Amino acid sequence: MVRQDTLSRACMLDHPPVAYLLPVPGPDGIADCEVGWDDLGRDAAWTQERLQAHGLAQGHHAVVSFSGHEGAWFQPVIEALRNLGVVYGSVETMGWDHVRTRVFQRELDLHAILGLSGETLEALSGQSMIGDFFGETPVVMARPDGIAKLRDAGVSAAVISTLGPALAIECPERAGAHVNRAEWTVTERDGRLSVTASAERAVGGREFLLETAGTVRADPCACGSDDPRVMFT
Ligand SMILES: [Zn+2]
């Protein structure tokens, strides 16, 4: 059977509603979180708004740094970039792939690099000055473990981070990472964060206690968003 026939037959089959099953570590062990295809579509729409707020637009070049197991969080980022008409590439966010990050940065006239990890930045800092390396890139987003290294080097980076099964993205105000309030309720208990899914998600209404340390700000942000903001500590 040729590939086209195989694909057309596959399209006629029923598709499971669950796209990902995430293991979410918490103080009581690992909880499973189902992520549906519809969830991913709404996550992509929200992420698109967040990236537009940073000025990302058609024709820009971007690199997304994430690991293969992070598809449930970064597939919406990829989808948002596609919808915006941004030309993107991807690199592995573990430190061993820092060379590809360096080559893309040097060769592709990047407007944005999204998802830099502390490991990648540590590896790159052994080869060049981080401030020189990323200082000319208009939009730099890093994980919480890498943000201080960038800001100390004078790079005005914003946070992008997984938060249990949710994704948090800081706006240009750089006053905490926004979490989509239509999908998640974020709370803080004794310095640890928890997220509760909206009824609409595949995992509807369930709360996930996390080991992630941080605080939550619920007051409106100067960017105009009512989405709560997480300060990772
Ligand atoms: Zn904001």
Side-chain angles (χ1 to χ4, degrees), residues 137-152:
T137 307
V139 180
V140 178
M141 290 190 190
R143 319 287 181 123
D145 67 350
I147 204 79
K149 183 179 278 289
L150 283 162
R151 289 177 176 169
D152 289 349

Side-chain angles (χ1 to χ4, degrees), residues 50 171 173 178 221-223 225 229:
R50 301 262 55 92
C171 70
E173 297 293 329
H178 286 284
C221 180
C223 73
S225 170
R229 287 165 285 155

Side-chain angles (χ1 to χ4, degrees), residues 51 56-66 71 74-92 100 104-105 108-115:
L51 297 183
L56 275 163
Q58 185 162 14
H60 285 154
H61 291 176
V63 162
V64 188
S65 179
F66 67 105
F74 281 89
Q75 191 274 348
V77 176
I78 297 290
E79 190 67 26
L81 292 172
R82 281 190 185 140
N83 291 340
L84 288 169
V86 173
V87 181
Y88 68 89
S90 64
V91 294
E92 164 61 51
R100 221 149 44 109
F104 281 0
Q105 173 72 13
L108 295 183
D109 187 23
L110 295 181
H111 191 85
I113 183 156
L114 312 174

Side-chain angles (χ1 to χ4, degrees), residues 121-202:
L121 289 164
E122 188 64 38
L124 288 173
S125 65
Q127 302 175 9
S128 56
M129 299 295 287
I130 290 295
D132 295 339
F133 200 71
F134 293 106
E136 299 297 314
T137 307
V139 180
V140 178
M141 290 190 190
R143 319 287 181 123
D145 67 350
I147 204 79
K149 183 179 278 289
L150 283 162
R151 289 177 176 169
D152 289 349
V155 180
S156 182
V159 171
I160 185 168
S161 180
T162 62
L163 178 65
L167 183 68
I169 301 177
E170 198 165 40
C171 70
E173 297 293 329
R174 291 165 177 75
H178 286 284
V179 177
N180 185 357
R181 68 200 288 259
E183 302 290 328
W184 306 101
T185 301
V186 189
T187 53
E188 172 196 341
R189 290 185 195 173
D190 301 325
R192 303 280 166 183
L193 299 169
S194 80
V195 291
T196 302
S198 72
E200 197 174 3
R201 294 190 74 85

